[in-house]
Amino acid sequence: MSLEIFQVEITSRCNMRCSFCPHSEMTRDKKDMSLSEFSLVAKNFRRGQRVGLHVMGEPLLNISFEYIVKETIMEGALPEIATNSLALSSPERRRDILLSGLQLMILDISRYKEEQEVMQKAIYNAEATVGLACELFAKGYFVPQILLQIVLKKGVRQCFSADMVNKAFLYPEVLKLHSKFLDSWAGHRKDLAEKSFVSPPEKRTPCAEPWNRVVVLQDGSVVPCCRDAFGQIVYGNIFKTSLQDIEENSPVLRDLRDKMMNQEWDLLPEPCRSCREWHIPMDRRVGDDE
């Protein structure tokens, strides 16, 4: 089996309405993946692989979050999350999440993505979480590496606070500062494409993801990548069968690979046909220090 689960959407609910996210346009159900459903997914993890417990929702909203992290670890995988930080609203909650066994925590503090009051709260929670993580690390606790992230777009300038820059210098094992390109969600958000610094190469080549990784949505649907926000290309359902069976027998996957290899770009299903980020793998980078 060559395919690997890259991310699992443990909830499709979210507590923010970010300007660069298509979550509000989703018509599929917005609810949590149950612990029993997650167990069916986790059986397909490979030992030592990194698994993101997030896709189109805020993972900390799932009431079974800490149990899901524990089960991921029990299966030998390394759990990671990306969070908007709103749910990290108390010292007790921050401590519980930091000591849950996570390997990586991505905290997005892009100032323009929500209303100012909401983003100020999110940024405060994120920076308080970083401060607590550094304190715990100094006392000898295992904490996740934190990727404090801003999303860059044309015409917007944002810098990290002096305190975060100082902590990244003093605690490089804990904190990395990272800037990320603005994603057009496989060309779906054409308004964002115009504001992004990223442009696809002139000559198109096959995307690597249909041979490497998949994403599992809240309802068990297995899709090519995290940019398939609406679940348009479904290889199969992992609640009903294994990832290996899906890879060996899915006609949707076979057809997608064939069209890629034959360079039939105009015949690709959406969102692959309009994708502007096909040349950028889903890999999470522990990013550029600012």
Side-chain angles (χ1 to χ4, degrees):
M1 183 174 69
S2 60
L3 286 179
E4 185 175 90
I5 295 173
F6 181 67
Q7 288 175 304
V8 182
E9 186 180 69
I10 63 173
T11 183
S12 51
R13 298 186 296 125
C14 194
N15 51 2
M16 291 182 72
R17 294 176 63 85
C18 297
S19 60
F20 52 73
C21 178
H23 185 271
S24 61
E25 301 173 51
M26 280 173 33
T27 57
R28 56 190 179 88
D29 289 343
K30 297 180 175 68
K31 60 182 184 179
D32 295 351
M33 181 181 289
S34 70
L35 186 56
S36 60
E37 290 171 333
F38 181 79
S39 296
L40 297 173
V41 182
K43 291 177 182 178
N44 296 273
F45 294 161
R46 296 179 184 174
R47 182 164 295 276
Q49 77 164 112
R50 293 181 173 271
V51 179
L53 302 176
H54 58 274
V55 184
M56 289 301 295
E58 167 51 54
L60 297 182
L61 295 182
N62 189 309
I63 60 172
S64 300
F65 176 78
E66 287 160 86
Y67 295 101
I68 286 173
V69 170
K70 289 178 181 177
E71 180 149 1
T72 303
I73 295 170
M74 287 176 60
E75 292 292 341
L78 307 174
E80 306 177 346
I81 64 167
T83 172
N84 59 39
S85 306
L86 278 186
L88 296 168
S89 55
S90 70
E92 295 77 20
R93 181 63 166 157
R94 293 168 199 144
R95 182 184 176 90
D96 288 346
I97 298 303
L98 287 170
L99 298 180
S100 65
L102 286 172
Q103 292 286 316
L104 176 68
M105 180 186 293
I106 303 172
L107 305 178
D108 193 324
I109 60 167
S110 305
R111 292 183 183 275
Y112 60 88
K113 70 185 219 177
E114 247 276 17
E115 294 180 2
Q116 185 175 0
E117 183 179 349
V118 175
M119 279 315 305
Q120 285 177 337
K121 184 182 297 185
I123 292 170
Y124 173 83
N125 290 350
E127 295 193 348
T129 301
V130 170
L132 180 57
C134 293
E135 291 177 19
L136 292 170
F137 178 80
K139 293 177 181 178
Y141 289 93
F142 173 81
V143 296
Q145 182 165 69
I146 295 177
L147 198 62
L148 194 65
Q149 175 177 280
I150 54 176
V151 176
L152 299 179
K153 71 174 184 177
K154 293 177 181 177
V156 173
R157 176 66 179 168
Q158 180 180 346
C159 298
F160 296 100
S161 69
D163 183 46
M164 292 299 101
V165 173
N166 189 45
K167 281 185 168 57
F169 177 76
L170 294 175
Y171 297 96
E173 304 91 344
V174 177
L175 180 62
K176 297 286 185 181
L177 305 181
H178 180 56
S179 55
K180 182 182 181 296
F181 68 91
L182 188 64
D183 201 304
S184 74
W185 298 96
H188 172 74
R189 290 285 301 274
K190 294 180 174 57
D191 58 320
L192 299 183
E194 296 172 357
K195 300 173 184 176
S196 177
F197 291 96
V198 173
S199 297
E202 290 185 12
K203 180 176 174 57
R204 187 161 187 174
T205 57
C207 171
E209 300 307 342
W211 286 268
N212 293 337
R213 288 173 289 237
V214 296
V215 165
V216 179
L217 300 182
Q218 174 274 325
D219 64 356
S221 296
V222 177
V223 300
C225 84
C226 56
R227 296 181 181 101
D228 189 358
F230 306 123
Q232 294 173 267
I233 303 176
V234 179
Y235 297 158
N237 192 294
I238 206 164
F239 294 164
K240 300 175 182 178
T241 187
S242 69
L243 181 59
Q244 181 175 354
D245 182 65
I246 289 172
E247 179 168 17
E248 292 175 353
N249 298 301
S250 170
V252 176
L253 173 58
R254 189 179 308 117
D255 182 67
L256 183 63
R257 286 177 172 177
D258 287 345
K259 285 183 169 58
M260 289 274 187
M261 292 306 296
N262 293 328
Q263 301 185 26
E264 297 173 330
W265 314 124
D266 292 339
L267 299 181
L268 288 173
E270 293 290 9
C272 291
R273 183 166 68 249
S274 301
C275 186
R276 291 173 48 86
E277 291 85 19
W278 55 265
H279 60 298
I280 305 172
M282 286 193 290
D283 296 305
R284 287 174 290 276
R285 252 184 336 126
V286 178
D288 303 327
D289 291 344
E290 296 292 320

